[in-house]
Amino acid sequence: MCGIVAAVSYRNVVPTLLEGLRRLEYRGYDSCGVATVADGKLQRARSVARVHELAEQCEEDGVAGQTGIAHTRWATHGAPEVCNAHPLVSRDHVALVHNGIIENHEEIRRQLQDKGYVFTSQTDTEVIAHLVNDCYEDDLLKAVMKAVGFLKGSYAIAVIASDEPHRVIAARQGSPMVLGIGEGENLVASDAMAIGGVTDQIVYLSEGDVVDLKPDAWTVYAREGEDGAFMPVEREIRVVHAYAGAVELGPYRHFMQKEIFEQPRAVSDTLEGVAAISPTLFGGNAEDIFKQTKRLLFLACGTSYYAALTAKYWIEELAGIPCDVEIASEYRYRVSVPDPDTLVVTISQSGETADTLAALRHARDALGMQKTLTICNVATSAMVHESLLSYITRAGVEIGVASTKAFTTQLTALYLLALTLAKLNGRLNAAKEEEELKRLRHLPVAMSAVLALEPQVMAWAERFAVKQDALFLGRGVHYPIALEGALKLKEISYIHAEAYPAGELKHGPLALVDNTMPVVTVAPNDSLLEKLKSNMQEVRARGGELYVCADGDSVIDTVDGMHVIRLPENYGRLSPILHCVALQLLAYHTSVSKGTDVDKPRNLAKSVTVE
């Protein structure tokens, strides 16, 4: 959610910090700030505006220095006000930025207040700043190591002190952080993309790591031995390319539009190297694990949850294996029945989604379900690291908060999982396998044909932009796609939208239908089409206005009160991937017509790394 950039160098680091924040803007934020050490004093600038306005403030106030920390904040504890913006400062000595949530902040706050510390914010982060200052004797590294021992919760922090002008100390627990190694400078950030313009030499810090950065040296420490003392450890240096093109719009108006149109390429990349359906696609020991699997449990949040719901239909039909799908944020807070023969599948774009990561750990550690698989877009993420098996989608960096290409690449990976399980269960012969592979390889072409319908969708969007509410309907495997379509519309256009299985329409939602209510219907030409047509007639009889995404061979005509867009192909079981592209375009162009901030919708963040 929040973004961190910190640097120590032989040059002024403020331009580097501001550029890093700009690269992290896609994650969503409502305040930002910078702090530096210069001439033995802390300098700070904070804003509840955008990063470019923070840059202007830094220039006006003369904020500069060779050591600094910077942050974009998405409000959790405390409103989005300047007093709560990071960096937080303790007694003009310690400045700190923080991602995560400190669960015992109230207890520590009371202890520090008893010692005379005055709090000027409502944040849990200020507790850490004062705690580090209270632990400080003559060494910032020792102070941070001591302070983190008192913290419960998740954190990624970067800390500077006024009397140590060429040093940054950083630490992480439950929230991601990377170290960037430069020439005459070193950096830490919450995302490698933030420092990609400076260096491609990246170290992914492990849970519990503390790192000491100086301009020409860095050391990582981890707790070792029975006494849990911090000791120097080795961490692998990786070459990570900067994703330079990912932050450039090119010919598109918004990143969301760009990412919608990148989907054929993203799906093609995700399928690269898939010459046959094989368990080895998911890991070297996948075949043994899959053969022992009697049930699947999917854990995910938001859009990834809808991908899991779609996969349930595919896997149960193709492989004949029962599936459960749980919202990750709810799963670990209820009593459930563990099963050691269950494959626990987590789905996450970032692989750092706090709720999903916690659910994975609960299933594995508390319930003893050791068979784990992660579908993820980031190979170096915590979720991938903590799972026995993985499939890495290749969506590339997704800047827009509303997920598009991450979703369709997740669906692609999940369809491969369904085919793999079907093959192992003797339900996919060689001829059928070749047919399925051919359809998968053609999928990017079919998606491009849907994208060509953009002008027709734009006409729909102009009508939607004046609406207050919308209803989405789908049946069978297309019901999760209706859910995803409603989510996209509400996320970026702020139009209230809900989705229902079309058969449930008469059990309540039909009461909402009148001539002001647009009803979007996902209508592929499948075995449920005739049932769906009956549901559509129920809408028309109440004066509702239908917007139908149909296949080219569906016998559904445009008439008064019913608008039809025909997708070029009937794509069978893979049809959900095509229909969701049309709904993405509808949400995007409705938002554009309304003039909302498409890429940074209010109150939302890209990477949800707090619970």
Side-chain angles (χ1 to χ4, degrees):
M1 295 175 100
C2 308
I4 288 175
V5 190
V8 55
S9 177
Y10 291 119
R11 59 176 176 142
N12 179 22
V13 297
V14 171
T16 299
L17 299 178
L18 292 170
E19 173 60 18
L21 293 188
R22 187 183 73 81
R23 285 169 167 252
L24 292 176
E25 283 190 287
Y26 76 97
R27 297 166 70 104
Y29 66 104
D30 42 44
S31 64
C32 50
V34 171
T36 63
V37 179
D39 299 324
K41 295 181 180 179
L42 295 177
Q43 295 181 310
R44 180 172 58 163
R46 298 183 292 173
S47 174
V48 292
R50 292 299 182 191
V51 171
H52 70 86
E53 291 165 295
L54 176 67
E56 294 172 358
Q57 184 180 335
C58 287
E59 186 172 353
E60 291 173 4
D61 296 346
V63 176
Q66 296 177 343
T67 302
I69 55 178
H71 193 263
T72 53
R73 175 178 185 259
W74 187 84
T76 52
H77 295 68
E81 300 171 353
V82 171
C83 65
N84 295 321
H86 299 208
L88 277 299
V89 170
S90 178
R91 294 182 175 176
D92 295 325
H93 176 227
V94 168
L96 177 145
V97 291
H98 165 229
N99 290 352
I101 290 179
I102 303 305
E103 296 173 358
N104 60 335
H105 68 98
E106 292 180 347
E107 174 189 346
I108 298 174
R109 182 188 297 263
R110 288 192 294 270
Q111 295 170 355
L112 290 167
Q113 286 173 330
D114 290 344
K115 292 184 176 183
Y117 283 91
V118 176
F119 286 78
T120 60
S121 77
Q122 293 83 51
T123 67
D124 54 337
T125 299
E126 190 176 4
V127 161
I128 315 174
H130 290 318
L131 183 61
V132 170
N133 190 67
D134 193 60
C135 293
Y136 190 91
E137 294 180 1
D138 58 0
D139 188 310
L140 185 59
L141 174 64
K142 292 179 181 178
V144 171
M145 287 177 170
K146 183 176 180 181
V148 297
F150 295 102
L151 302 179
K152 296 179 182 178
S154 63
Y155 57 82
I157 59 174
V159 195
I160 56 176
S162 59
D163 54 352
E164 297 191 45
H166 301 293
R167 195 181 204 186
V168 172
I169 307 298
R172 68 150 298 200
Q173 180 71 48
S175 196
M177 179 168 275
V178 301
L179 162 66
I181 303 165
E183 295 184 7
E185 59 190 351
N186 290 303
L187 312 92
V188 288
S190 52
D191 188 323
M193 186 172 171
I195 54 179
V198 180
T199 180
D200 60 3
Q201 303 293 304
I202 300 295
V203 174
Y204 288 90
L205 298 177
S206 299
E207 287 284 275
D209 281 356
V210 176
V211 58
D212 183 2
L213 286 83
K214 296 175 182 177
D216 50 10
W218 57 274
T219 307
V220 179
Y221 297 86
R223 294 189 186 275
E224 301 282 342
E226 294 182 2
D227 60 353
F230 280 100
M231 300 294 292
V233 293
E234 298 292 325
R235 291 285 182 255
E236 179 186 0
I237 300 173
R238 306 187 187 195
V239 176
V240 177
H241 297 294
Y243 308 115
V247 293
E248 302 299 331
L249 271 174
Y252 300 100
R253 291 183 64 181
H254 301 92
F255 284 108
M256 183 177 179
Q257 184 186 30
K258 176 188 177 188
E259 288 153 12
I260 289 172
F261 277 82
E262 285 176 341
Q263 288 178 113
R265 188 274 308 158
V267 167
S268 178
D269 288 351
T270 297
L271 291 169
E272 186 177 351
V274 180
I277 302 302
S278 169
T280 57
L281 295 170
F282 299 88
N285 56 340
E287 183 170 355
D288 290 340
I289 292 173
F290 287 171
K291 284 182 175 179
Q292 298 168 24
T293 295
K294 300 295 189 293
R295 194 175 198 92
L296 278 80
L297 169 63
F298 287 98
L299 302 171
C301 298
T303 288
S304 296
Y305 172 70
Y306 299 147
L309 288 177
T310 308
K312 174 182 171 71
Y313 285 92
W314 286 336
I315 291 169
E316 291 191 346
E317 178 186 353
L318 288 166
I321 301 175
C323 299
D324 296 313
V325 183
E326 296 262 6
I327 296 173
S329 58
E330 294 289 325
Y331 172 69
R332 70 186 177 115
Y333 295 111
R334 71 173 188 84
V335 177
S336 58
V337 181
D339 179 358
D341 292 327
T342 292
L343 176 66
V344 178
V345 183
T346 51
I347 309 172
S348 169
Q349 187 273 333
S350 67
E352 305 288 351
T353 307
D355 290 317
T356 309
L357 190 54
L360 168 64
R361 291 167 177 166
H362 175 72
R364 183 193 62 205
D365 301 335
L367 301 182
M369 293 191 285
Q370 301 298 318
K371 300 180 180 69
T372 54
L373 162 67
T374 287
I375 308 293
C376 183
N377 194 44
V378 183
T380 54
S381 64
M383 221 171 288
V384 172
H385 179 71
E386 295 189 26
S387 296
L388 292 178
L389 307 175
S390 64
Y391 192 95
I392 307 304
T393 60
R394 296 179 61 187
V397 175
E398 194 174 61
I399 303 295
V401 166
S403 180
T404 53
K405 60 181 180 175
F407 180 61
T408 48
T409 53
Q410 286 172 356
L411 290 177
T412 303
L414 289 165
Y415 196 74
L416 284 173
L417 176 62
L419 294 176
T420 301
L421 295 171
K423 186 175 181 179
L424 286 175
N425 283 1
R427 298 166 66 113
L428 185 72
N429 60 34
K432 186 64 175 176
E433 177 180 349
E434 186 56 38
E435 179 185 337
E436 292 285 1
L437 285 170
K438 188 179 297 184
R439 293 182 72 81
L440 280 168
R441 293 179 188 122
H442 182 69
L443 184 57
V445 176
M447 295 173 76
S448 296
V450 177
L451 292 169
L453 300 174
E454 186 178 33
Q456 296 178 53
V457 179
M458 291 170 69
W460 279 17
E462 291 178 5
R463 301 172 68 96
F464 266 72
V466 298
K467 303 295 184 180
Q468 299 298 316
D469 305 276
L471 192 62
F472 286 68
L473 302 177
R475 296 204 74 143
V477 70
H478 291 85
Y479 166 53
I481 301 307
L483 286 165
E484 172 64 10
L487 176 63
K488 286 291 159 284
L489 188 67
K490 73 180 83 172
E491 276 183 312
I492 61 172
S493 75
Y494 315 142
I495 294 172
H496 172 249
E498 299 296 336
Y500 284 87
E504 285 293 292
L505 186 64
K506 55 187 174 293
H507 295 290
L510 196 58
L512 298 172
V513 174
D514 59 19
N515 59 10
T516 67
M517 171 75 80
V519 179
V520 180
T521 308
V522 184
N525 189 7
D526 60 15
S527 61
L528 292 171
L529 180 59
E530 293 306 316
K531 298 285 187 184
L532 185 61
K533 286 181 179 179
S534 297
N535 304 134
M536 291 161 59
Q537 290 305 320
E538 293 168 358
V539 172
R540 292 192 67 196
R542 275 75 179 177
E545 193 167 13
L546 283 159
Y547 293 82
V548 184
C549 288
D551 287 343
D553 55 358
S554 298
V555 185
I556 301 175
D557 297 320
T558 297
V559 295
D560 288 343
M562 185 156 66
H563 314 275
V564 182
I565 287 180
R566 298 187 185 282
L567 275 60
E569 298 184 55
N570 179 341
Y571 221 63
R573 290 192 193 92
L574 288 166
S575 169
I577 297 177
L578 300 189
H579 281 273
C580 80
V581 173
L583 298 184
Q584 291 169 354
L585 288 170
L586 176 61
Y588 169 73
H589 284 291
T590 301
S591 179
V592 170
S593 295
K594 289 194 67 176
T596 62
D597 191 340
V598 174
D599 290 329
K600 304 182 187 73
R602 67 190 182 202
N603 303 332
L604 298 180
K606 182 62 180 174
S607 182
V608 186
T609 55
V610 296
E611 185 179 355

